[in-house]
């Protein structure tokens, strides 16, 4: 039998507001209302300021560690614009703060989380979101599962999960993609391809030309877009959300972006990145081009920028005060969230932890009836 082609595919790339702030009317007209573009720009600016302040909090010993979102705000905002807060889900990683705030997460939760306070992970009832996931890739399985639950319940709620380029090398990513596609769950895989996984460049992370093409193997509709362009991101997300809501199953969106800051405050990217690369991406900053778009349409000017800067300072100051003003947690509360009924040996750990004299008197109450030595 002669050879024949049994499968062929291509990947589309979407750009609407390009890095020179040129706007493609054919795709972008009416996509985001003027007032929503203004609001999106303001949200990105507030997040940028939160990033700067969080960085300083870490440097001055007031926060454990922090991963800056700087440069990636458009991917977060552009995707969240298509979601319904309180109904659709977000299953985040750690570099999409703006999306989480748009879905209703109070801003101080992010600071609490990175300050090491468990209450930063206790998501309010009305916010459809799982806690941040620092373990790379594990959360995407939850997104497939939550999507499956929504499907069984016959709702039209969708789930957006965020992850980096590095995460797509994890087994969990492939399992999640497989489950979501086989079960046709309403899950949208939002990849933030920022070119780096800590110090590992994308070229050493994968041999595929795009991240988007990985979805082809799972029979999942997939697209690549300019991740620093809120219009392109929203365009792709609208399509994916429409598909998911109408029972069309999962989608994949690769947002090409760049991490302008260090990986986290524990990193110094100057040790492995070419400053010329960073410079080139600074010129593609999503805030700069969104501002240019607004200015060209007389929707923004220097006075508005000054007012916004002041407002951002005020908001972030209040957020820091809220996070730092919260009562210190009871140390034993670290045992509270894991079990509905605390197992005996864990109860023992909790109770003995409270007992400073334990080493001296192992026969005391907490250890009665056990052979365990602590
Ligand atoms: C399972 C797991 N392995 C390794 C790490 C250490 N780690 C933290 S972030 C990171 C890189 C992630 O890169 P990417 O997915 O591209 O996300 P980015 O940080 O660039 O947004 C690694 C390897 C981890 N947190 N979890
Ligand atoms: Mg990355």
């Amino acid at each position: 039998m002669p050879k024949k082609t049994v499968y062929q595919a291509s990947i589309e790339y979407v750009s609407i507001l390009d890095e020179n702030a040129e706007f493609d009317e054919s795709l972008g007209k009416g996509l985001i209302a003027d007032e929503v573009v203004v609001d999106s720009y303001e949200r990105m600016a507030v997040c940028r300021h939160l990033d700067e302040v969080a960085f300083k909090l870490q440097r001055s010993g007031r926060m454990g560690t922090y991963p800056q979102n700087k440069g990636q705000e458009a991917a977060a905002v552009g995707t969240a614009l298509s979601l319904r807060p309180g109904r659709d889900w977000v299953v985040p990683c750690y570099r999409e703060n703006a999306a989480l705030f748009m879905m209703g997460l109070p801003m101080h939760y992010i600071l609490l989380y990175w300050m090491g306070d468990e209450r930063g992970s206790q998501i309010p009832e009305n916010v459809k979101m799982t806690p941040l996931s620092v373990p790379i890739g594990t959360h995407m399985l939850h997104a497939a599962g939550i999507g499956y639950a929504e499907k069984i319940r016959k709702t039209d709620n969708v789930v957006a999960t965020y992850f980096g380029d590095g995460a797509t090398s994890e087994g969990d990513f492939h399992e999640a993609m497989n489950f979501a596609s086989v079960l046709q769950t309403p899950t949208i895989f939002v990849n933030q391809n920022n070119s780096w996984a800590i110090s590992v460049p994308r070229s050493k992370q994968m041999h595929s030309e795009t991240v988007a093409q990985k979805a082809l193997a799972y029979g999942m509709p997939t697209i690549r877009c300019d991740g620093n362009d809120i219009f392109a991101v929203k365009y792709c997300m609208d399509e994916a959300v429409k598909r998911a809501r109408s029972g069309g199953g999962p989608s994949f969106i690769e947002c090409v972006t760049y991490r302008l800051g260090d990986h986290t405050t524990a990193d110094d990217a100057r040790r492995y990145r070419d400053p010329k690369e960073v410079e080139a991406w600074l010129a593609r900053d999503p805030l700069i081009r969104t501002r240019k778009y607004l200015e060209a349409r007389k929707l923004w000017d220097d006075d508005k920028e000054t007012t916004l800067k002041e407002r951002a300072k005020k908001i972030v100051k209040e957020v820091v005060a809220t996070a730092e003003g919260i009562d210190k947690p009871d140390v034993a509360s670290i045992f509270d969230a894991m079990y509905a009924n605390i197992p005996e040996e864990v109860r023992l750990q909790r109770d003995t932890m409270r007992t400073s004299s334990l080493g001296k008197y192992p026969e005391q109450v907490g250890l009665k009836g056990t052979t365990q030595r602590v």
Side-chain angles (χ1 to χ4, degrees):
M1 197 201 270
K3 282 187 195 170
K4 59 180 180 180
T5 303
V6 290
Y7 180 74
Q8 261 184 325
S10 57
I11 302 288
E12 282 187 329
Y13 174 77
V14 179
S15 155
I16 296 175
L17 179 64
D18 74 13
E19 57 185 276
N20 303 313
E22 296 293 333
F23 187 72
D24 183 324
E25 294 279 343
S26 68
L27 288 183
K29 197 161 195 276
L31 186 61
I32 312 180
D34 285 350
E35 65 275 17
V36 180
V37 185
V38 171
D39 182 63
S40 299
Y41 175 65
E42 293 182 347
R43 286 176 183 281
M44 293 197 288
V46 172
C47 277
R48 182 69 62 91
H49 186 59
L50 179 73
D51 251 21
E52 285 158 5
V53 170
F55 184 84
K56 287 182 192 156
L57 287 177
Q58 194 280 336
R59 285 293 186 262
S60 54
R62 289 153 74 187
M63 186 182 282
T65 186
Y66 183 77
Q68 284 193 300
N69 290 205
K70 189 179 177 186
Q72 301 188 206
E73 296 90 344
V77 170
T79 45
L81 281 176
S82 310
L83 299 172
R84 303 174 305 196
R87 293 174 72 182
D88 297 323
W89 287 85
V90 281
V91 179
C93 154
Y94 48 75
R95 230 183 277 282
E96 46 277 332
N97 288 346
L100 311 184
F101 303 148
M102 285 168 78
M103 295 303 279
L105 187 75
M107 286 176 84
H108 70 276
Y109 274 62
I110 288 294
L111 298 187
L112 285 178
Y113 181 89
W114 295 108
M115 285 170 173
D117 191 320
E118 277 300 308
R119 287 168 293 185
S121 291
Q122 289 165 18
I123 310 299
E125 274 298 315
N126 58 338
V127 181
K128 304 279 284 291
M129 175 191 146
T130 52
L132 301 199
S133 177
V134 169
I136 298 299
T138 53
H139 63 297
M140 291 180 262
L141 284 157
H142 305 156
I146 295 170
Y148 192 37
E150 293 290 358
K151 183 177 173 172
I152 291 169
R153 288 178 178 164
K154 297 190 171 22
T155 72
D156 68 351
N157 300 334
V158 305
V159 188
T161 183
Y162 296 82
F163 52 97
D165 40 308
T168 68
S169 303
E170 291 278 354
D172 286 358
F173 162 74
H174 296 279
E175 291 171 31
M177 294 286 284
N178 194 49
F179 267 109
S181 57
V182 169
L183 299 171
Q184 286 290 285
T185 69
T187 308
I188 299 152
F189 291 84
V190 180
N191 173 242
Q192 294 209 63
N193 172 8
N194 64 9
S195 272
W196 292 90
I198 315 185
S199 56
V200 179
R202 199 174 71 84
S203 58
K204 287 194 179 158
Q205 183 76 240
M206 63 190 77
H207 194 61
S208 60
E209 233 163 279
T210 66
V211 185
Q213 73 202 62
K214 298 189 184 196
L216 293 174
Y218 298 98
M220 196 184 289
T222 182
I223 199 157
R224 174 185 247 206
C225 69
D226 181 340
N228 286 2
D229 167 2
I230 49 169
F231 293 91
V233 174
K234 166 91 166 29
Y235 181 92
C236 296
M237 190 67 176
D238 277 353
E239 274 193 355
V241 167
K242 194 169 153 204
R243 187 177 297 121
R245 280 207 208 296
S246 57
S251 302
F252 191 96
I253 304 171
E254 175 187 354
C255 303
V256 180
T257 181
Y258 194 77
R259 193 193 79 211
L260 288 174
D262 296 328
H263 170 67
T264 65
T265 43
D267 175 45
D268 179 358
R270 287 171 305 183
R271 294 176 60 187
Y272 54 82
R273 286 204 305 204
D274 182 348
K276 286 202 191 85
E277 178 183 292
V278 182
E279 224 169 87
W281 279 97
L282 274 169
R284 298 179 195 133
D285 186 328
L287 270 75
I288 296 175
R289 83 173 78 161
T290 312
R291 183 178 168 178
K292 280 187 184 162
Y293 170 91
L294 292 173
E295 282 172 346
R297 282 153 190 78
K298 307 260 176 285
L299 296 165
W300 202 255
D301 54 31
D302 288 348
D303 285 348
K304 288 199 165 105
E305 186 71 21
T306 308
T307 311
L308 170 61
K309 290 247 156 74
E310 287 308 312
R311 195 164 73 84
K313 269 190 203 158
K314 189 164 173 280
I315 292 172
V316 173
K317 205 171 167 191
E318 280 169 14
V319 167
V320 172
T322 308
E324 291 194 325
I326 194 166
D327 288 341
K328 289 272 170 285
D330 176 20
V331 176
S333 69
I334 60 173
F335 292 93
D336 287 350
M338 185 63 82
Y339 298 100
N341 299 308
I342 189 164
E344 183 54 24
E345 66 276 15
V346 180
R347 187 193 64 75
L348 184 67
Q349 286 176 26
R350 186 193 63 192
D351 293 350
T352 53
M353 183 189 72
R354 288 172 168 155
T355 313
S356 58
S357 58
L358 184 71
K360 279 194 226 156
Y361 309 106
E363 70 285 2
Q364 71 192 56
V365 187
L367 292 177
K368 257 184 195 161
T370 80
T371 51
Q372 247 172 304
R373 302 276 306 189
V374 183

